[in-house]
Amino acid sequence: MAEKIYIFDTTLRDGEQSAGVAFTPKEKLEIAKQLERIGVDVIEAGFPISSPGDMAAVKTISKEVRGTSICALARAVPADIDAAWEGICEAADPRIHVFINTSAIQIEHQLRMDPATVLDQAVSMVRYATKFTSNVEFSPMDATRTDPQFLYSIIEACINAGATTINVPDSVGYAIPEEFGTYFRDIFKNVSNIHRARVSVHAHNDLGLCSANTLSAIQNGVRQAEVTVNGIGERAGNTSLEEVAMAIRTRKDFLNYYTDINHKEIYRTSKLIETCSGMPIQWNKAIVGKNSFRHGSGMHWDEMSHQDETRGRIDPEAIGVPQGAQIIISKLSGRQAFRDKVAYLGFELTDEELERAFDAVQALSDKKANIDDRDIEAILIDQMRDLENPAWTLDHIQVSAGNNTTATATLTLRDPTGAIVKDAATGTGPIDAVYQAMNRITGIVPTLTEFSIKAITEGIDAQGEVTIRIEDEKGNMFIGRASETDIIVASARAYTKALNRLIYSTRPSRYPVVNADGP
Ligand code: KIV
Ligand code: ZN
């Protein structure tokens, strides 16, 4: 009989550690609800000690997302575990995830401890976590570069201390599939009490092997896979949810497992993460990349729909790619059609938010003949961000530019109190002039590290989507994104959003120091 593989999603924790990604609180809740809808077993909602913002988001998710286990990350120190519990204590099924570095190199350079002390600390902190909940996961960080005998001892001791899930991370993305399989077989052979815990795998994609490594681990006894949507995550990312779920489903002839993932929600979930993270999905990304359903000659996927899955083709409908029956939104569409479209795209809006979004779509339909889902998604994402008490808002913008003239921008912004502030500046081009004027008005002069414009849809009336990244003096990065038919206005709005994120940033650091001697 097929065995269940538990899906532990860490998009909101490890996924958010991708350089440049910072979900807003509202996006985090939206994502958590979608993860619940898609059927993950555990949501790692955050790392509460890392910032007040993370703590607040974990608390909200714990209260509002009741159909799945909610997990919070903690280093093996009491303050982290207390914070993790504070974040998840109201969850329907809370889990504390305790980790400590176990490879010699990390013990020496990051923890500056000896292995025996690391083992004692892991055991006492797992035991400490069990005072709050019996649902405790332990991760020996950098497990694949850890001395195997030490790894077996620390796993065995942590199970005795009460850990019910043992997660084995390939933290630096170093493993090779066959070797990784053997590695798990050895864990099962050498840890005498391993049958008392569920064994989990957490892989990183530095060598492009993490889905293969995860499947190899599963074939060698692992029953929980740690994943992120679209594979976003630290450095080259984490194992992608959709790849593991669809590999298990598509190759059930060979892999005798199943997951509870509702594969019809994959496309929608992937799109939500793409828009919220600002990380575009590569065109040839397995399962969800837009070329996944195109064939060599450029023929579109739906022209191939007469083929069936038994021949290895992944049916686009199987992952919920919208087909002909989609609702068309135009100037003539009513509110109900729009409401249905919004629900279909995976957003939950209040009546007031829906009304604002509806007005924005109507305004767009005056400028653009064909409105498609990408236009609507862009507006909804914009609105989600706009509604979160922006510090500065753009009121008016006027630009003059051309050849043989100095680009000049005159801007009016509203400050956090609602007061109007006006200034003008020149620049090397119209967008530079706008950004110089914004810097003068806000008094903030960040470094612009990335600027990109893409057309959301085809055609000369397309909305231009501007994505920018700015850095503050400490090197923290903030993304701003906006779409408009006028790219100068989109550029100004994207910059305002990034500045607001910088102003509202509550993140001192991802891994704050708890005490000088601790990890
Ligand atoms: O990659 C890693 O080791 C982690 C741990 C915190 C599980 O993300
Ligand atoms: Zn990780």
Side-chain angles (χ1 to χ4, degrees):
M1 210 178 71
E3 279 189 67
K4 170 163 167 159
I5 304 302
Y6 289 79
I7 298 295
F8 174 114
D9 183 278
T10 182
T11 306
L12 292 172
R13 200 277 299 168
D14 225 349
E16 209 204 14
Q17 283 177 223
S18 310
V21 173
F23 300 125
T24 66
K26 195 170 167 97
E27 285 168 343
K28 286 187 182 179
L29 182 59
E30 204 66 54
I31 291 168
K33 286 182 176 168
Q34 182 58 25
L35 290 171
E36 180 187 35
R37 208 172 288 133
I38 200 176
V40 305
D41 298 286
V42 186
I43 295 174
E44 188 163 52
F47 186 14
I49 193 92
S50 68
S51 75
D54 235 30
M55 170 69 89
V58 172
K59 281 187 177 173
T60 309
I61 291 169
S62 297
K63 281 187 211 139
E64 297 205 20
V65 180
R66 312 296 295 171
T68 176
S69 178
I70 307 295
C71 176
L73 185 67
R75 288 166 300 182
V77 289
D80 278 38
I81 295 170
D82 291 341
W85 181 246
E86 188 187 331
I88 56 173
C89 59
E90 291 190 60
D93 180 13
R95 175 183 293 190
I96 300 177
H97 179 186
V98 179
F99 75 97
I100 196 163
N101 315 60
T102 52
S103 62
I105 185 166
Q106 293 195 352
I107 289 179
E108 190 186 331
H109 297 292
Q110 293 189 19
L111 301 186
R112 277 168 288 155
M113 287 174 162
D114 60 87
T117 315
V118 170
L119 192 144
D120 285 349
Q121 183 151 342
V123 167
S124 66
M125 289 302 107
V126 166
R127 195 168 290 132
Y128 183 62
T130 62
K131 292 193 195 327
F132 300 110
T133 170
S134 58
N135 191 350
V136 175
E137 171 166 331
F138 171 69
S139 289
M141 191 169 178
D142 203 13
T144 44
R145 295 191 304 169
T146 297
D147 168 64
Q149 295 308 325
F150 182 59
L151 187 74
Y152 306 147
S153 321
I154 200 164
I155 292 177
E156 189 161 303
C158 286
I159 294 174
N160 284 335
T164 46
T165 302
I166 294 294
N167 177 49
V168 179
D170 181 24
S171 307
V172 295
Y174 170 84
I176 301 292
E178 196 179 340
E179 171 203 37
F180 207 37
T182 309
Y183 188 82
F184 278 98
R185 271 207 302 282
D186 288 344
I187 291 176
F188 283 100
K189 248 188 253 153
N190 290 290
V191 177
S192 65
N193 55 2
I194 197 74
H195 57 280
R196 283 170 34 203
R198 179 171 298 139
V199 181
S200 165
V201 58
H202 176 112
H204 279 272
N205 208 28
D206 300 65
L207 295 175
L209 293 170
C210 63
S211 290
N213 281 333
T214 298
L215 289 176
S216 176
I218 289 171
Q219 288 176 282
N220 286 284
V222 161
R223 292 295 172 262
Q224 174 179 284
E226 299 206 349
V227 296
T228 61
V229 177
N230 298 343
I232 66 168
E234 191 83 60
R235 306 182 310 278
N238 290 54
T239 305
S240 94
L241 182 155
E242 59 279 7
E243 289 176 21
V244 170
M246 287 309 284
I248 290 175
R249 179 174 190 269
T250 308
R251 292 306 312 275
K252 52 182 175 284
D253 58 317
F254 184 74
L255 300 165
N256 198 18
Y257 315 107
Y258 70 94
T259 70
D260 281 341
I261 293 299
N262 176 357
H263 47 89
K264 293 234 177 226
E265 291 289 335
I266 286 179
Y267 178 79
R268 180 187 299 200
T269 313
S270 164
K271 286 314 232 186
L272 181 65
I273 298 305
E274 182 183 37
T275 35
C276 294
S277 67
M279 287 181 73
I281 302 170
Q282 75 193 57
W283 284 26
N284 60 339
K285 161 85 177 65
I287 315 297
V288 289
K290 74 158 110 168
N291 278 3
S292 293
F293 305 110
R294 286 180 174 162
H295 293 260
S297 63
M299 206 189 304
H300 198 262
W301 56 261
D302 56 11
E303 289 163 10
M304 302 297 287
S305 56
H306 57 280
Q307 292 188 12
D308 65 23
E309 273 187 56
T310 53
R311 282 186 249 170
R313 191 184 71 90
I314 293 170
D315 180 357
E317 264 190 272
I319 61 162
V321 177
Q323 266 200 321
Q326 62 183 285
I327 307 153
I328 308 290
I329 296 294
S330 71
K331 196 157 183 46
L332 302 175
S333 306
R335 278 179 180 68
Q336 189 53 47
F338 185 63
R339 189 183 296 277
D340 291 347
K341 172 66 92 183
V342 167
Y344 165 77
L345 291 173
F347 292 83
E348 274 180 35
L349 302 186
T350 62
D351 287 346
E352 185 203 332
E353 290 164 347
L354 191 95
E355 209 49 41
R356 274 177 55 136
F358 186 70
D359 289 348
V361 170
Q362 291 288 312
L364 178 64
S365 67
D366 285 335
K367 300 185 223 158
K368 186 170 189 290
N370 299 310
I371 295 182
D372 81 10
D373 288 1
R374 293 164 293 172
D375 292 310
I376 298 169
E377 275 174 352
I379 285 172
L380 293 172
I381 293 292
D382 268 10
Q383 301 247 326
M384 275 162 62
R385 290 182 171 158
D386 283 351
L387 288 171
E388 288 180 35
N389 305 323
W392 289 91
T393 46
L394 183 66
D395 199 59
H396 183 76
I397 177 167
Q398 192 176 342
V399 172
S400 98
N403 62 341
N404 306 325
T405 181
T406 305
T408 311
T410 308
L411 252 68
T412 312
L413 300 189
R414 281 184 193 275
D415 76 6
T417 66
I420 291 280
V421 191
K422 192 171 178 180
D423 210 334
T426 56
T428 51
I431 293 171
D432 185 45
V434 167
Y435 288 2
Q436 298 298 341
M438 289 235 183
N439 291 351
R440 286 170 66 100
I441 292 175
T442 60
I444 302 168
V445 187
T447 310
L448 180 68
T449 54
E450 194 181 316
F451 177 92
S452 70
I453 303 184
K454 70 170 188 193
I456 294 181
T457 52
E458 302 72 26
I460 51 166
D461 58 355
Q463 292 193 83
E465 181 185 79
V466 174
T467 305
I468 64 155
R469 286 185 163 82
I470 57 173
E471 255 180 45
D472 66 12
E473 74 286 353
K474 293 190 217 116
N476 294 318
M477 206 190 289
F478 303 91
I479 293 185
R481 203 165 180 220
S483 35
E484 285 278 347
T485 45
D486 182 325
I487 56 164
I488 306 286
V489 179
S491 305
R493 290 186 47 226
Y495 198 68
T496 319
K497 287 177 185 191
L499 284 176
N500 284 335
R501 280 172 182 239
L502 186 156
I503 291 165
Y504 278 127
S505 168
T506 49
R507 307 173 138 196
S509 118
R510 266 266 137 211
Y511 293 100
V513 174
V514 169
N515 64 54
D517 303 323

